[in-house]
Amino acid sequence: MMSASTPSPLRVAIIGAGQVADKVHASYYATRSDVQMVAVMDSRLEQAQAFAQRHAIPSAWQDVHDMLRAVKADVVSVCSPNRFHVDHVLAALAAGCHVMCEKPPAMTPQQADQMRIAARRTGKVLAYDFHHRFARDTQLLREAVLKGTFGEIYFTTAQALRRCGVPGWGVFTNKSLQGGGPLIDIGIHMLDAAMYVLGFPAVKRVTAHSFQKLGNRKNCGQFGEWDPAQFTVEDALFGTIEFCNGGVLRLDTSFVLNIREQSIMNVSFCGEKAGATLFPAHIYNDEGGILRTITQREEADDQRHLRSMEAFVRHVMGEPVMIADAEQGWVIQQLVAALYEAAEKGESVTLC
Ligand SMILES: NC(=O)c1ccc[n+]([C@@H]2O[C@H](COP(=O)([O-])OP(=O)(O)OC[C@H]3O[C@@H](n4cnc5c(N)ncnc54)[C@H](O)[C@@H]3O)[C@@H](O)[C@H]2O)c1
């Protein structure tokens, strides 16, 4: 149901014409007849022009303010490198647009807070693309938590690990443009999924250890090549988050780590009455020593990224659907910062 105040079609502008804008944002918007992509901007004009041509977008820009002034968009997708999220989100909100911003929200909690406050002040929707929470698997586990299937969950493990998966494109190995390595890039996804299923419990204390052992020595992997001399981020981080309710969350994340698997992106939850694995959703316990499956999905939902985009558009159109909102984005950014701080100082960081 479209809200009376929602323009139709929704006019969308895209900032940052890279791979996620291409494969996810523009690809999704193109499936909707009630959405029209009107402009794309990239700091490399030829990149914006090629993108515009590929997606039949009528205008390509190199300056974000010129674009926002000229095209009068209703919605902006921010798909630029992390360092620019804050400026692009604030500019889009100030121009009166609803915003879908790629993860991570920003580089620092202070920036995510500014973005949160700006969204509240302008009354516009600000959503972050933490898409794993939109998987049917994640929804199923969240419902089970609310139904009390697990009892108290006191141990959670979140893993975002790759055996040789340093991104060879973009700026993912550059700390000043990215804010960090696997934690802020992929660990943050499993952290959000875990926090979402747990219902965002308050955090008491954080400890962490980070390493740079392989990314600055190797120069190629499954996602291309990089310059080890320019590898300025951590290549692995192992952290523990203690909740005020007594529960503990372990987070292990790495771009390159000598593990058996090629990649692990998963979360498991251990409660008093049952436990669960997220992808694919599987809930289990035992009865009198007999191992029992309570619920199991055959395969993990591979449409979660499109579901995240769909939730955003429907939310903008006035439907009461869940989004990864500016408040939760700020909390996740605080946890990322606390994990980095704890690893850097070699001591725990207390949050409440
Ligand atoms: N949700 C997900 O799973 C997911 C997946 C991939 C990327 N991302 C996020 O999306 C963002 C972009 O990642 P990507 O993989 O598409 O990278 P990319 O390098 O493919 O694309 C980034 C684009 O931004 C452009 N750019 C650089 N500086 C800019 C500026 N100041 N203004 C405007 N454009 C600028 C670059 O020219 C490039 O075209 C990152 O924040 C990343 O974390 C999220």
Side-chain angles (χ1 to χ4, degrees), residues 52-78:
Q53 199 163 28
R54 217 163 41 250
H55 293 282
I57 298 173
S59 70
W61 303 79
Q62 193 167 21
D63 183 275
V64 72
H65 301 286
D66 288 348
M67 177 180 80
L68 290 171
R69 237 188 333 267
V71 303
K72 304 271 180 283
D74 304 302
V75 162
V76 168
S77 269
V78 172

Side-chain angles (χ1 to χ4, degrees), residues 71-281:
V71 303
K72 304 271 180 283
D74 304 302
V75 162
V76 168
S77 269
V78 172
C79 303
S80 47
N82 302 351
R83 156 102 178 261
F84 308 107
H85 288 186
V86 62
D87 289 346
H88 291 156
V89 167
L90 293 180
L93 289 171
C97 305
H98 302 289
V99 182
M100 168 54 110
C101 176
E102 266 308 332
K103 49 48 67 175
M107 301 275 277
T108 66
Q110 292 74 19
Q111 292 177 348
D113 192 26
Q114 257 185 296
M115 293 149 82
R116 173 183 79 94
I117 291 167
R120 196 185 280 175
R121 194 178 52 238
T122 56
K124 296 295 169 184
V125 176
L126 170 56
Y128 295 117
D129 189 23
F130 285 125
H131 62 272
H132 295 277
R133 62 158 79 183
F134 294 89
R136 297 255 191 256
D137 310 79
T138 321
Q139 292 301 316
L140 191 151
L141 294 199
R142 177 69 193 138
E143 280 159 28
V145 166
L146 292 172
K147 275 193 274 180
T149 305
F150 304 104
E152 181 190 330
I153 296 177
Y154 52 92
F155 183 56
T156 299
T157 49
Q159 294 192 306
L161 299 170
R162 295 181 189 150
R163 182 150 141 191
C164 48
V166 174
W169 74 96
V171 298
F172 294 90
T173 59
N174 177 330
K175 191 168 181 183
S176 66
L177 292 173
Q178 182 72 3
L183 171 61
I184 205 166
D185 187 41
I186 55 175
I188 198 170
H189 270 310
M190 292 301 104
L191 179 59
D192 177 75
M195 290 292 285
Y196 174 77
V197 169
L198 294 171
F200 275 77
V203 172
K204 184 172 163 192
R205 196 168 35 222
V206 163
T207 51
H209 295 84
S210 70
F211 296 89
Q212 200 191 57
K213 295 280 188 191
L214 301 174
N216 57 347
R217 294 187 198 157
K218 297 186 172 194
N219 72 346
C220 63
Q222 292 191 302
F223 299 149
E225 294 181 8
W226 67 94
D227 178 358
Q230 305 290 325
F231 189 97
T232 51
V233 297
E234 85 281 2
D235 60 36
L237 183 141
F238 310 104
T240 303
I241 295 172
E242 293 173 53
F243 298 112
C244 298
N245 65 16
V248 170
L249 187 162
R250 287 257 342 141
L251 174 66
D252 301 336
T253 184
S254 179
F255 281 154
V256 51
L257 187 69
N258 284 317
I259 52 173
R260 189 187 53 158
E261 296 83 354
Q262 180 180 333
S263 160
I264 306 174
M265 288 287 274
N266 220 331
V267 185
S268 61
F269 302 90
C270 303
E272 296 166 298
K273 298 188 201 164
T277 305
L278 183 54
F279 296 126

Side-chain angles (χ1 to χ4, degrees), residues 28 32 100 125 127 133-134 304-324:
Y28 174 72
R32 295 193 69 120
M100 168 54 110
V125 176
R133 62 158 79 183
F134 294 89
R304 60 193 93 155
H305 222 146
L306 296 183
R307 294 191 204 290
S308 167
M309 295 298 300
E310 184 186 23
F312 166 66
V313 170
R314 288 176 59 194
H315 194 94
V316 164
M317 289 179 168
E319 291 185 54
V321 291
M322 183 273 289
I323 53 167

